[in-house]
Amino acid sequence: MNFIVDKDSGIIPQVLSAILDECVNGVTLADPDMDDSPIVYANKAFERLTGYTQAEIVGHNCRFLQGEDREQEARYQIKEAMAKNEGIEVTLRNYKKDGTLFHNHLKVIPLFDKKQRVIYYLGVQYDITQQVNADNEIKVLTDLLEKNNKK
C-alpha cells in the first residue's frame, strides 16, 4: 500500500523526522507551492553535509549551495524534470558553508497527493567527492602512463 500524506501545517510528523535525522544522507523537502520552491525540511545529515544550520537552510531554495558556480548542466536538467513533475538524478558541484567544494549526487523525487498534484519535492543528497577525486586521479595517471608509453 502506498503511503500518501495530505499536505498539512505539520509538514513532517515528529517520528518521521527522528527517523530521517538518523539517515547518513542528506534529505530535504521543498515546497513547490511557495515562491521559488524553498526547503521546508532538512535532516541533520544535510546540516552535517553542508555546514549550514536549520535556520540558514529552511526558507531557501537548495541552489544556494551552488554559490557563484551556476553554469552547470545539471541545474537545467533539474528545472526541466520539475516542470514535467518527473524525478531526476544528477551530480552538482556544491559548496559548504566554509566554501569547501563537494560533489553532490542529488536525487529529486516529486511527492504527489491523492489527486496526483505535486505537494513536495524530496531531495536526497549523497556526497561523492571522494569518488570524483579518485576518478580524476585515475584519469591523470592513465593519461600519464599513455604519454610515457608513446615515448
Side-chain angles (χ1 to χ4, degrees):
M1 182 168 133
N2 288 337
F3 180 74
I4 300 173
V5 177
D6 290 328
K7 196 171 191 174
D8 65 9
S9 61
I11 300 173
I12 297 292
Q14 197 172 25
V15 172
L16 184 55
S17 181
I19 292 167
L20 291 172
D21 281 342
E22 294 303 316
C23 292
V24 291
N25 295 312
V27 176
T28 56
L29 284 180
D31 189 337
D33 293 333
M34 297 174 70
D35 187 39
D36 203 27
S37 300
I39 296 169
V40 294
Y41 171 81
N43 71 346
K44 299 267 187 233
F46 187 82
E47 288 182 82
R48 288 188 299 274
L49 172 64
T50 65
Y52 289 96
T53 65
Q54 286 288 318
E56 295 167 311
I57 297 166
V58 173
H60 299 278
N61 184 288
C62 210
R63 73 178 157 271
F64 78 91
L65 293 173
Q66 295 154 17
E68 299 298 316
D69 192 0
R70 298 294 175 114
E71 290 304 314
Q72 300 185 48
E73 178 62 29
R75 284 188 64 223
Y76 304 105
Q77 293 170 345
I78 293 167
K79 183 176 180 179
E80 184 177 322
M82 289 175 76
K84 295 177 182 177
N85 295 333
E86 297 175 349
I88 189 164
E89 212 167 326
V90 296
T91 299
L92 292 160
R93 292 180 306 275
N94 282 171
Y95 297 86
K96 299 180 183 207
K97 185 175 180 179
D98 68 5
T100 304
L101 168 69
F102 72 99
H103 295 273
N104 182 4
H105 188 81
L106 170 66
K107 187 170 187 173
V108 178
I109 304 156
L111 302 179
F112 299 92
D113 66 8
K114 292 176 186 174
K115 296 180 182 176
Q116 293 303 303
R117 295 175 300 200
V118 176
I119 54 172
Y120 294 111
Y121 283 101
L122 171 66
V124 180
Q125 295 82 16
Y126 309 86
D127 182 354
I128 62 165
T129 304
Q130 289 181 338
Q131 177 186 339
V132 170
N133 290 343
D135 290 348
N136 289 341
E137 190 171 330
I138 289 169
K139 183 181 180 338
V140 167
L141 292 173
T142 302
D143 290 348
L144 185 59
L145 281 171
E146 288 175 3
K147 182 180 174 183
N148 286 337
N149 286 337
K150 289 181 181 178
K151 288 184 177 181

